[in-house]
Amino acid sequence: SEGMGFRNYGWQQNIMANVQQTLPGDFKLSLMYFGGTPTYSLQGKNSGINIHSVGLTKSLMKDRLNLSLNAVNPFSDSMKMTSDTRGNGFSSHSVTKVKMRSVVFTASLSIGNLKTKQKMTNTDSHNESDVKNAENKNMQMNSIFMGN
């Protein structure tokens, strides 16, 4: 607010990156990173954020069984967030720690036919009444648009 003498000269950016590599034995390794710079307001700022994960996936039984092991923030047990706020006659500083480390094992099994089938139909055969009905509809549409 210009009237109160506050100005916001901050900027904020986020980035997300994800890469996957197939390893020997058809294992898939996934790495993910999400990061955000601090956010600024007229009265202060909040700290940025960093989250990363590592995952390993293996498909078995002709891709019917998928096994995954994923770790979120495996290298740090918590995420620290700070907030600083200032105004006329007050100031505030807070620190919050959130437990973010986790390990998740997932197993999924697909049951049933995994192949898709496409049914082909013959659209070349028309009977005489279908052709006449289509001609009548075309004539009706033409008379509506042409004003007949």
Side-chain angles (χ1 to χ4, degrees), residues 30-62:
S30 299
L31 303 171
M32 186 280 300
Y33 172 78
F34 175 80
T37 61
T39 57
Y40 295 87
S41 69
L42 291 176
Q43 293 183 316
K45 75 174 189 172
N46 295 317
S47 63
I49 186 171
N50 292 297
I51 299 172
H52 51 278
S53 71
V54 177
L56 192 62
T57 302
K58 175 70 176 169
S59 294
L60 303 166
M61 298 169 42
K62 297 182 182 178

Side-chain angles (χ1 to χ4, degrees), residues 47-122:
S47 63
I49 186 171
N50 292 297
I51 299 172
H52 51 278
S53 71
V54 177
L56 192 62
T57 302
K58 175 70 176 169
S59 294
L60 303 166
M61 298 169 42
K62 297 182 182 178
D63 292 336
R64 289 185 181 273
L65 177 63
N66 291 303
L67 305 174
S68 296
L69 182 64
N70 294 293
V72 177
N73 284 355
F75 308 114
S76 59
D77 67 339
S78 63
M79 184 170 53
K80 179 181 165 183
M81 297 176 285
T82 61
S83 175
D84 293 303
T85 307
R86 292 173 300 285
N88 289 335
F90 77 94
S91 67
S92 171
H93 175 76
S94 66
V95 177
T96 305
K97 286 184 103 176
V98 178
K99 297 286 185 184
M100 291 291 290
R101 181 185 292 163
S102 65
V103 177
V104 177
F105 174 76
T106 306
S108 65
L109 179 64
S110 298
I111 300 173
N113 189 358
L114 296 178
K115 294 181 183 177
T116 59
K117 292 183 181 179
Q118 185 176 6
K119 184 177 179 181
M120 300 298 286
T121 59
N122 186 358

Side-chain angles (χ1 to χ4, degrees), residues 1-9 42 88:
S1 157
E2 292 291 328
M4 298 177 75
F6 295 123
R7 294 179 187 213
N8 184 356
Y9 290 116
L42 291 176
N88 289 335

